[in-house]
């Protein structure tokens, strides 16, 4: 394509009947990565909490995805999914791997140092330790519904000391695909 043809094409796009503009209302990067985290959460078999996480490098490339579920090789039909029971061993809590852990373990790069994690729920204190040890610099989350629990208080203390920023990114899934 010649330079004059490129200029003429550009002129036609910006003036007159053939004017074209990029689509408005497209997903920005944070919304896109949070949507990927939510899509990943749909793989969870947990009947009460489906959580997903997406790790992104500085070039906006996804380097890890995870969701909450039982460890690899453990039959999830033989382990409990209950949130409460007389014996803690009869609940899901001693067994389930959180989305953040799985995203870090499922990484497709040498490391995730300097990356950003998008996660549906604010990370618990155990996940905060993993995030910090992995070198993730930013945590972006949608919900902090367990804000006042001791685990989340400890998590905030840890993340405030070690992570650059923690942001809430709102996303309206109902607006996707609407004009």
């Amino acid at each position: 394509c010649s330079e004059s043809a490129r200029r003429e094409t550009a002129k036609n796009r910006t003036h007159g009947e053939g004017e074209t503009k990029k689509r408005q209302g497209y997903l920005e990067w944070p919304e896109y990565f949070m949507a990927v985290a939510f899509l990943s959460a749909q793989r969870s078999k947990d009947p009460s909490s489906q959580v997903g996480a997406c790790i992104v490098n500085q070039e906006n490339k996804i380097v890890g995805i995870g969701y909450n579920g039982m460890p690899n090789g453990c039959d999830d039909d033989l382990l409990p999914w209950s949130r409460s029971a007389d014996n803690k061993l009869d609940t899901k809590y001693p067994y389930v791997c959180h989305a953040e852990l799985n995203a870090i373990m499922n990484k497709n790069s040498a490391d995730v140092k300097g990356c950003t994690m998008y996660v549906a729920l604010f990370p618990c204190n155990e996940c905060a330790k993993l995030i910090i040890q992995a070198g993730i610099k930013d945590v972006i989350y949608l919900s902090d519904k367990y804000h006042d629990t001791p685990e989340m208080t400890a998590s905030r203390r840890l993340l405030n000391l070690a992570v650059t920023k923690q942001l809430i990114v709102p996303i309206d899934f109902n607006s996707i695909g609407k004009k």
Side-chain angles (χ1 to χ4, degrees), residues 34 36 41 50 54 72 76 80 96-97 103 123-125 158 169 178:
M34 188 62 75
V36 169
Q50 299 82 45
C54 178
N72 292 336
D76 50 29
V96 169
C97 296
C124 72
N125 62 307
L158 291 167
V169 172
K178 292 184 180 176

Side-chain angles (χ1 to χ4, degrees), residues 156-170:
R156 267 189 303 286
R157 283 183 189 168
L158 291 167
L159 292 172
N160 284 334
L161 291 170
V163 172
T164 306
K165 64 183 172 186
Q166 305 156 49
L167 298 171
I168 298 175
V169 172

Side-chain angles (χ1 to χ4, degrees), residues 4-148:
S4 62
R6 272 195 291 264
R7 273 185 266 147
E8 185 63 29
T9 301
K11 180 180 158 191
N12 289 341
R13 279 194 208 127
T14 57
H15 303 291
E17 294 178 21
E19 183 176 349
T20 60
K21 293 182 182 180
K22 68 180 179 185
R23 182 175 67 88
Q24 300 296 308
Y26 59 88
L27 288 178
E28 297 289 341
W29 285 120
E31 297 167 320
Y32 173 77
F33 295 128
M34 188 62 75
V36 169
F38 268 77
L39 182 61
S40 178
Q42 296 306 303
R43 286 282 309 139
S44 176
K45 296 176 185 175
D46 189 326
S48 57
S49 300
Q50 299 82 45
V51 181
C54 178
I55 303 172
V56 179
N57 70 15
Q58 296 84 347
E59 290 95 34
N60 286 324
K61 304 278 192 276
I62 296 172
V63 296
I65 297 175
Y67 56 89
N68 60 314
M70 297 299 176
N72 292 336
C74 295
D75 188 338
D76 50 29
D77 289 323
L78 301 178
L79 292 169
W81 287 103
S82 175
R83 291 173 62 117
S84 62
D86 291 336
N87 183 346
K88 187 171 182 173
L89 292 175
D90 294 329
T91 69
K92 65 181 180 175
Y93 299 110
Y95 310 105
V96 169
C97 296
H98 287 184
E100 300 91 332
L101 164 70
N102 282 326
I104 292 168
M105 295 303 297
N106 293 337
K107 69 186 186 303
N108 61 13
S109 64
D111 66 37
V112 291
K113 188 173 185 142
C115 289
T116 299
M117 178 178 280
Y118 292 81
V119 63
L121 282 177
F122 187 80
C124 72
N125 62 307
E126 293 299 321
C127 289
K129 291 186 272 186
L130 290 167
I131 289 165
I132 293 164
Q133 291 298 88
I136 292 170
K137 71 174 177 80
D138 297 320
V139 176
I140 300 176
Y141 59 95
L142 183 69
S143 172
D144 190 11
K145 73 178 183 177
Y146 300 111
H147 184 275
D148 295 324

